[in-house]
Amino acid sequence: MDRVRDRVVPVITILAVIVVAWYAFAVFMNAPFQRDLDRRAGETPTTMEFIGKTLSQPKPTMPAPHQVAQNFFENTFLRKVTSARSLVYHSWVTLSSTLLGFTFGTALGILIAVGIVHVIALDRSLMPWIIASQTIPILAVAPMIIVVLAAIGITGLIPKALISTYLSFFPVAVGMVKGLRSPDLMHLDLMHTYNASASQTFWKLRVPASVPFLFASMKVAVAASLVGAIVGELPTGAVAGIGAKLLAGSYYSQTIDMWAALVAGSVVAAMLVVLVGIVGKIVERSMGGRPA
């Protein structure tokens, strides 16, 4: 019970602080426009009335938490899943490209890591380029990928998945390199003493040692993959997806819809990270690991 309390209380405390700060910033950001409205209407509201108006504007500069929560609830639970306004529908569209890109990125990251660990030339030549690739802003890469693939007739899910792959392969590659190199020298010498081949050392020692590193990096990768999928929806003119929802909200100044879409993206990311963590624990226990 104490263990659960130690985990829950800090999270609730931080969440409460964020909500209070959010309300304060909402009042501060919406106040100038509300003063202008009151001046034009010839009204002189009290302080509490003024605060209430700043937190109930239909198109606020910064929506209040209760406005975002209401919009999120309505567009998640009170609309049909097939509705164009349903956040479940838009989240599923983004999730499909996220999962595909995450799969590609994880596979690519593992292959790169295996090559780097076993081929010295790749370690010295490929790793610096991998690191350098992540310094290029994804907003600059995404349109180029979309345009090039569209020129050869590839549109839809694949371009967005490749953008997700671009963001997700890096943490997996770095984590797997660290994991594959994590066995102690004493364990490697022991395998050498047993006359184990390179493949036996890899599968029986390096791979099991790398599993915790792999799933830790996959948590980062799956969140990055979601970001890539959302960014990939922006230059494509997509009509569905969280990115498309954000773009449509920016066109029509629907800030509440935009924030609700951001919350939906955060919920999807949290669910994916938790799912990867659960799978990681299951795999570790199946390999004989002890629960933390």
Side-chain angles (χ1 to χ4, degrees), residues 15-251:
L15 183 62
V17 171
I18 291 174
V19 170
V20 171
W22 188 349
Y23 270 112
F25 276 107
V27 172
F28 177 77
M29 296 294 292
N30 299 333
F33 181 66
Q34 189 60 47
R35 290 194 191 97
D36 185 57
L37 290 178
D38 291 340
R39 184 173 59 253
R40 293 181 181 182
E43 298 178 353
T44 308
T46 63
T47 302
M48 295 306 298
E49 290 175 343
F50 179 78
I51 292 176
K53 288 182 177 181
T54 60
L55 297 178
S56 59
Q57 295 176 0
K59 292 185 178 182
T61 302
M62 184 174 186
H66 68 273
Q67 291 178 300
V68 176
Q70 181 180 359
N71 185 290
F72 178 82
F73 180 80
E74 291 178 354
N75 291 328
T76 302
F77 300 103
L78 302 183
R79 299 190 186 279
K80 294 182 179 180
V81 177
T82 56
S83 171
R85 296 192 62 182
S86 172
L87 287 175
V88 177
Y89 168 71
H90 289 287
S91 297
W92 170 250
V93 172
T94 301
L95 182 62
S96 59
S97 54
T98 298
L99 293 177
L100 184 59
F102 173 65
T103 302
F104 288 163
T106 301
L108 179 61
I110 292 174
L111 289 176
I112 290 174
V114 172
I116 287 174
V117 169
H118 286 86
V119 182
I120 298 178
L122 289 179
D123 184 20
R124 296 177 179 177
S125 61
L126 188 58
M127 183 58 88
W129 286 105
I130 293 175
I131 296 174
S133 70
Q134 300 302 302
T135 63
I136 304 174
I138 187 60
L139 288 175
V141 175
M144 292 188 293
I145 295 176
I146 299 298
V147 170
V148 170
L149 293 180
I152 58 177
I154 301 177
T155 58
L157 183 66
I158 298 299
K160 294 186 294 182
L162 290 180
I163 295 171
S164 296
T165 301
Y166 175 79
L167 289 182
S168 61
F169 88 93
F170 176 74
V172 174
V174 173
M176 275 299 288
V177 168
K178 180 70 174 178
L180 292 173
R181 289 175 172 171
S182 63
D184 295 334
L185 182 61
M186 180 177 63
H187 295 155
L188 293 172
D189 288 341
L190 181 61
M191 295 297 289
H192 181 70
T193 302
Y194 289 157
N195 197 28
S197 64
S199 62
Q200 288 175 324
T201 302
F202 176 77
W203 289 109
K204 296 182 181 296
L205 178 61
R206 292 188 184 274
V207 170
S210 68
V211 169
F213 295 86
L214 173 61
F215 281 97
S217 61
M218 285 173 65
K219 290 181 181 180
V220 179
V222 74
S225 183
L226 179 65
V227 173
I230 294 174
V231 172
E233 292 169 351
L234 300 179
T236 61
V239 296
I242 295 176
K245 188 76 171 176
L246 293 172
L247 202 59
S250 67
Y251 286 156

Side-chain angles (χ1 to χ4, degrees), residues 233-278:
E233 292 169 351
L234 300 179
T236 61
V239 296
I242 295 176
K245 188 76 171 176
L246 293 172
L247 202 59
S250 67
Y251 286 156
Y252 302 104
S253 300
Q254 298 289 347
T255 52
I256 300 177
D257 285 347
M258 294 173 61
W259 280 75
L262 289 173
V263 171
S266 301
V267 171
V268 172
M271 292 173 61
L272 290 173
V273 171
V274 169
L275 181 61
V276 171
I278 292 174

